[in-house]
Amino acid sequence: MATSTLTRIDPLSLFDDVFRAMRTPLFESGNGRGPGFVPAVDVHRDDEDLVMRVDLPGVDPAKDVSVELSGRTLTVSGERRNEHETEGGMREVRYGSFSRSLTLPADVGSEAVSADYDAGVLTVRVSGVYASEKPQRIQVAVGSKDGGDSAKQINA
């Protein structure tokens, strides 16, 4: 007589596994321990400037961070180094090289880009990148349905 063992599955843990897999980067860090370090990035518009904030806790910005402008591509790259190699134990902090890029809406010179690191956050500001995006006023025609000569032009 064969016996079988049933395993109870928690459906909520399955959802948790799916969402955890979606948040996990798809590339390896090179140290053979799973996904590498991918910093969180927030990008927003501040009047005519673009502001990019990159979470880089535990990174030395003088040695391990590079901000580069190539054409309309702004790239922040670097490495979070593991200073304490340990065997066993628990590790949730990710280490390794990273690179995050974005395409700017217009060409700018390198003098328009500034970077500041404070309290684990790198803030990159691209001054005036939205300066050429001024709204243009469009006229709205008001008149008869047949489109006759009695149509009036008004400004919206």
Side-chain angles (χ1 to χ4, degrees), residues 33-101:
R33 294 194 178 172
F37 174 56
V38 179
V41 174
D42 287 332
V43 179
H44 68 275
R45 182 177 180 163
D46 181 14
D47 196 26
E48 293 183 349
D49 300 349
L50 178 138
V51 179
M52 177 182 194
R53 294 174 45 91
V54 186
D55 288 345
L56 296 175
V59 174
D60 182 349
K63 292 190 322 189
D64 297 326
V65 175
S66 173
V67 178
E68 296 178 355
L69 179 64
S70 177
R72 290 179 42 204
T73 303
L74 178 67
T75 302
V76 175
S77 60
E79 182 177 3
R80 179 193 260 174
R81 299 177 191 272
N82 181 3
E83 302 295 331
H84 308 286
E85 191 65 38
T86 60
E87 292 297 322
M90 183 175 119
R91 173 172 290 172
E92 291 185 353
V93 176
R94 302 287 184 203
Y95 297 94
S97 297
F98 65 90
S99 179
R100 302 298 306 263
S101 296

